[in-house]
Amino acid sequence: MGTALGWIDSHCHLTCRQLLPDVEQVRQRALDAGVARMMIVCCSVPEAEAALRLKQEDPRLDVALGFHPSDLADFSEEDWNKCEALVYNENISAVGEIGLDYYWDKQNSARQKEAFVRQLNWAVKADKPIIVHSRDAIADTLAILKEHPVPRRGIIHCFSSSWEMAMEFIRLGYTIGLGGPVTFKNAKTPVEVAEQIPLTHLQIETDCPYLTPHPYRGKRNEPMYLPLTAQKICELRGIDELVLKQQLWENYRRLFHPQEEA
Ligand code: NI
């Protein structure tokens, strides 16, 4: 798809309420910054419907849909059914973000696990990869993914755990997503992961509107800031930007669009 020379934001919430009102400008700024392709991660059916409309205009946009572990109280059984039905749509490229968040909602861990497994089963049935959110819950996340294998695997997004833990997921076939925290002044473990990870199992992301890279930390995040994370990783690894770009594109293609030409 000719994106070999552009960056890919593998995790952005373009249709969230903070970004949707000026999404056209956000996209234009991303293109101007060399971010050609984006995975729009949607946390509700209306967000996904908005993303699918954007995708109709620009096929370089990809769409993921799943219920985030911190939002579970918001959804009725009817919402669950609508979400599942939409996940099978051929224009939805991944199920996510799904997972566990004990930082915000530890007391509901049982409900989170149930919701995670329910959506893992959709990914298996729909034959789609997953995008996993895991915060303060990395051991449980790993255990569940071992117990419920998803053939297409996916991304452990905004990875914030140790290098040893990253290797556990890589051994299962998962890709590690790194974002803005790699650039933070006090970054320790994300830097360690960025330095050591096999490039074949890496994706980069903004997770916008959050986690804006240095020196814009605290401002609203947008895909146009993705190159700051890419540059930091190149600096840490001593590699050329083109090398990273090509490898990330190959990883992305293999994961989400195996039918496309390399
Ligand atoms: Ni996210």
Side-chain angles (χ1 to χ4, degrees), residues 7-14 16 19 26 30 33 35 37-41 97 155 157-159 177-184 203-214 219-230 233:
W7 293 112
I8 305 164
D9 188 345
S10 66
H11 191 117
C12 60
H13 297 278
L14 274 198
C16 72
L19 291 171
V26 169
V35 181
R37 198 153 187 173
M38 299 168 217
M39 175 68 76
I40 308 175
V41 179
E97 56 189 291
I155 297 178
H157 114 88
C158 197
F159 192 81
L178 293 176
V182 172
T183 68
F184 293 172
Q203 265 318 314
I204 61 172
E205 59 176 64
T206 57
D207 199 18
C208 60
Y210 310 110
L211 297 173
T212 317
H214 176 80
K219 278 187 69 171
R220 184 185 77 167
N221 200 3
E222 292 187 20
M224 69 166 165
Y225 295 127
L226 182 86
L228 295 168
T229 297
I233 292 172

Side-chain angles (χ1 to χ4, degrees), residues 124-152:
V124 174
K125 251 168 83 183
D127 191 31
K128 293 189 181 178
I130 55 173
I131 296 175
V132 177
H133 172 100
S134 180
R135 189 159 184 204
D136 288 358
I138 201 73
D140 282 2
T141 305
L142 181 66
I144 287 176
L145 291 180
K146 278 185 176 166
E147 204 181 320
H148 302 272
V150 174
R152 295 275 302 272

